């Protein structure tokens, strides 16, 4: 396994007295697409949101353990959250375009970071939309509201918005679950292209999707990491009974 870009050790997350994660340790190799799978309520999304401190926004949360990004503890005192979330971006289950034009959606993070030169913004917007495989569909309508796009197009614009700030890792929380099959397929093709240049960590309920596009798969159950390994090995030779039961639909 190549060097880990994110290394999680003994992560415990509790909301009040309810402990959702019970000491999860997991390392993510740079350049891989890793799928996090498991039944609803098993802690997948909580784990994902811990990786760029999105759980900090939740009240009454208690986080223990360590998460290192490129060797640096992201929970250390004085950590720059803006820089962290630029380096580790997030794409949500429901597409969340801002009520701006397509262009302004993609340029948003760049402007927040202080970039104002029009030529540079134009270049980064086009590059990001191309990477998200939607440039040809919107290049003549960049002033159009992103809210007027289809769900699949909105999600790809949201991906482009993350790409514009040149992250190193992209977190995806069930990015296709709200989309129709055609749009889901388009997002999958986009992710397969993106994993050449980025580390992708994706929560999905769709085991077929995980088997199609991920390099590694992590199975969660009841707040614990049950198995983790290369996807083709996990699906062909499940190593624990609970994984076999999960694959057979016992956990839904």
């Amino acid at each position: 396994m190549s060097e880990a870009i994110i290394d999680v050790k003994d992560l415990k997350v509790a909301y009040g007295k309810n402990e959702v994660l019970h000491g999860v340790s997991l390392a993510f190799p740079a350049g891989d697409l890793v799928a996090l799978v498991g039944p609803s309520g098993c802690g997948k999304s909580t784990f994902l949101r811990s990786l760029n401190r999105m759980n900090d926004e939740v009240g009454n949360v208690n986080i223990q353990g360590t998460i290192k990004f490129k060797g640096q503890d992201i929970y250390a005192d004085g950590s720059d959250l803006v820089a962290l979330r630029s380096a580790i971006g997030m794409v949500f289950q429901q597409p969340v375009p801002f009520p701006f034009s397509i262009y302004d959606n993609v340029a948003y993070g760049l402007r927040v970071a202080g970039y104002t030169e029009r030529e540079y913004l134009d270049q980064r917007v086009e590059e990001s939309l191309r990477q998200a495989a939607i440039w040809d569909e919107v290049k003549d309508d960049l002033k159009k509201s992103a809210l007027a796009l289809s769900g699949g197009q909105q999600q790809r614009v949201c991906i482009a918005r993350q790409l514009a700030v040149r992250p190193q890792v992209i977190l995806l929380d069930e990015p296709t679950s709200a989309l129709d099959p055609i749009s889901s397929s388009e997002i999958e093709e986009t992710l397969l292209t993106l994993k050449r240049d980025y580390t992708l960590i994706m929560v999905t309920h769709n085991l077929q999707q995980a088997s199609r596009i991920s390099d590694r798969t992590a199975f969660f159950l009841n707040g614990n990491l049950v198995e983790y390994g290369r996807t083709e090995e996990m699906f062909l030779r499940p190593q624990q009974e609970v994984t076999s039961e999960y694959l057979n639909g016992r956990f839904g």
Side-chain angles (χ1 to χ4, degrees):
M1 184 168 67
S2 60
E3 184 177 352
I5 190 169
I6 296 179
D7 194 8
V8 182
K9 298 289 189 186
D10 197 27
L11 179 66
K12 298 179 181 179
V13 179
Y15 301 113
K17 296 182 179 180
N18 179 31
E19 188 173 87
V20 178
L21 293 175
H22 311 306
V24 174
S25 297
L26 193 52
F28 296 93
D32 273 7
L33 193 163
V34 180
L36 311 180
V37 303
S40 297
C42 69
K44 304 183 303 296
S45 291
T46 294
F47 179 84
L48 188 78
R49 290 165 184 258
S50 298
L51 300 180
N52 70 346
R53 296 187 55 173
M54 291 292 289
N55 284 327
D56 288 18
E57 313 302 324
V58 180
N60 204 25
V61 65
N62 180 38
I63 301 172
Q64 300 178 43
T66 61
I67 300 176
K68 291 186 177 180
F69 171 59
K70 301 182 73 174
Q72 300 298 312
D73 185 353
I74 69 171
Y75 284 92
D77 292 340
S79 294
D80 186 338
L81 286 185
V82 174
L84 175 68
R85 291 171 184 168
S86 294
I88 306 177
M90 173 78 79
V91 175
F92 297 95
Q93 178 176 0
Q94 292 283 348
V96 283
F98 299 141
F100 311 144
S101 69
I102 296 167
Y103 183 100
D104 289 339
N105 263 269
V106 180
Y108 180 83
L110 294 168
R111 286 174 169 149
V112 169
Y115 294 100
T116 59
E117 184 184 351
R118 183 67 185 209
E119 183 177 354
Y120 179 75
L121 293 177
D122 288 350
Q123 175 188 343
R124 291 298 303 132
V125 167
E126 179 176 345
E127 287 177 357
S128 302
L129 289 169
R130 284 187 183 278
Q131 284 184 294
I134 193 173
W135 170 254
D136 288 340
E137 297 172 44
V138 302
K139 62 183 179 181
D140 297 323
D141 295 301
L142 294 179
K143 294 182 180 181
K144 179 180 179 180
S145 171
L147 299 177
L149 299 172
S150 69
Q153 290 174 321
Q154 288 184 10
Q155 192 66 298
R156 281 181 283 154
V157 167
C158 291
I159 291 172
R161 188 171 66 205
Q162 294 297 327
L163 295 174
V165 296
R166 292 187 168 141
Q168 297 176 59
V169 179
I170 303 174
L171 311 177
L172 304 114
D173 194 357
E174 299 190 62
T176 64
S177 64
L179 306 179
D180 62 81
I182 293 176
S183 296
S184 295
S185 178
E186 291 171 343
I187 295 294
E188 286 186 16
E189 291 177 7
T190 300
L191 297 181
L192 284 170
T193 300
L194 291 176
K195 75 175 186 176
R196 301 171 190 165
D197 301 307
Y198 302 91
T199 302
L200 306 178
I201 305 172
M202 177 181 68
V203 167
T204 179
H205 279 293
N206 188 327
L207 292 177
Q208 288 75 26
Q209 182 178 74
S211 69
R212 283 193 299 268
I213 69 173
S214 68
D215 299 296
R216 298 176 185 272
T217 299
F219 286 86
F220 284 73
L221 185 66
N222 297 329
N224 295 293
L225 176 66
V226 177
E227 289 188 65
Y228 179 49
R230 295 206 63 83
T231 296
E232 65 270 18
E233 297 173 2
M234 299 270 298
F235 280 82
L236 289 176
R237 297 187 294 103
Q239 299 170 357
Q240 296 187 24
E241 183 179 352
V242 67
T243 302
S244 180
E245 291 179 347
Y246 184 85
L247 289 171
N248 289 326
R250 290 277 298 278
F251 299 114

